[in-house]
Amino acid sequence: HGETAARQLLTITLDAYESAPLAGRALEALVSARAIASDRDLVADDALIERAARRLKSDKHLLTVLRWRRARSEEGDAVELLEEGSALAAWALDDKSQAIELFEDLLGLRPKHPAALRGLSRLYEAVGRPDDQIAMLEKLLEDDMLDDRERAGLLEQLATAHADGRKDMSAADIIVK
C-alpha cells in the first residue's frame, strides 16, 4: 500500500508542480517499491519514475529506470537507452565502473558505435587501463569516414596512451612519425 501512496503522491506533486522535496521523497519511495516488485506490469511505474526523475533532475533515478527499461527492450530501443544511460553514468554521475559496463553493453549491440568507443577510451584512460584504451582508439581509427583532423587527434591520443599508459616510448615515436 505504501507504493500506491507513493505513486499517487508523486503523480499529484508532478502534475501540480508542487514542492520538489515532497516529490523527491515520493520518487525515492516509488523507486524502492519498484526495485523489489516482480508480480505486476511495471511499465506505468517506470514511465512515472522516468518523468519524475527528468523533472526533478535526478540523474541517479533516471539511470536506474533506464536500466530497468533496457532489461525489457528490443535491440533498437536498448541502443538508445544505453546511449543515454552510459552518458549519464559517465559524465553526470561520475560512476566510471557503471559507465564502462553500459558502454561495453552498447558495444555488444553495436561494435563500432563511435560514441561508445570514444567514451570507453576516455574512461579506460581515467581508470588506468591503457591496453583497453589503446584497443578503443585503434577501433576508432578503423573508421574510413574520419577526416584528417580527427585521425590526427586519435593518433596523438594513441601515442600518448602508449607513452604514458604503457610507458612504451618506441611505439609512441612510431605513431607520431
Side-chain angles (χ1 to χ4, degrees):
H1 296 284
E3 93 187 57
T4 302
R7 189 179 310 108
Q8 290 171 340
L9 179 60
L10 186 55
T11 301
I12 290 166
T13 57
L14 285 176
D15 290 342
Y17 295 94
E18 295 288 328
S19 74
L22 184 59
R25 286 193 298 276
L27 175 60
E28 286 286 341
L30 186 55
V31 167
S32 296
R34 162 58 178 87
I36 59 172
S38 61
D39 60 344
R40 58 188 178 79
D41 181 19
L42 302 170
V43 175
D45 282 353
D46 288 355
L48 178 60
I49 292 169
E50 182 175 355
R51 188 172 131 226
R54 288 184 190 282
R55 173 102 30 99
L56 297 171
K57 296 178 178 33
S58 174
D59 293 331
K60 175 183 81 171
H61 291 109
L62 181 56
L63 181 57
T64 298
V65 79
L66 290 175
R67 291 187 85 137
W68 288 335
R69 285 184 49 210
R70 181 190 166 249
R72 64 173 189 275
S73 65
E74 299 295 322
E75 183 179 320
D77 291 336
V79 168
E80 184 180 315
L81 294 168
L82 283 168
E83 287 171 341
E84 184 174 6
S86 55
L88 266 174
W91 319 131
L93 295 173
D94 196 30
D95 184 340
K96 291 175 181 50
S97 63
Q98 190 168 44
I100 287 170
E101 178 186 322
L102 291 167
F103 275 128
E104 287 173 345
D105 287 351
L106 181 53
L107 283 182
L109 295 173
R110 300 277 163 83
K112 295 186 183 251
H113 193 284
L117 292 169
R118 280 180 179 30
L120 277 171
S121 172
R122 288 192 298 265
L123 288 164
Y124 288 149
E125 178 184 22
V127 298
R129 291 173 55 182
D131 292 338
D132 292 325
Q133 178 193 11
I134 289 167
M136 294 303 107
L137 292 168
E138 288 172 344
K139 286 181 184 179
L140 281 164
L141 284 165
E142 293 172 4
D143 185 350
D144 294 333
M145 302 301 290
L146 292 173
D147 64 31
D148 290 341
R149 194 177 110 260
E150 289 173 309
R151 187 168 303 282
L154 289 171
L155 287 169
E156 184 179 331
Q157 290 175 39
L158 187 58
T160 301
H162 276 284
D164 295 346
R166 281 189 178 164
K167 308 296 184 217
D168 184 355
M169 291 307 295
S170 59
D173 288 341
I174 290 169
I175 292 167
V176 170
K177 292 177 183 175

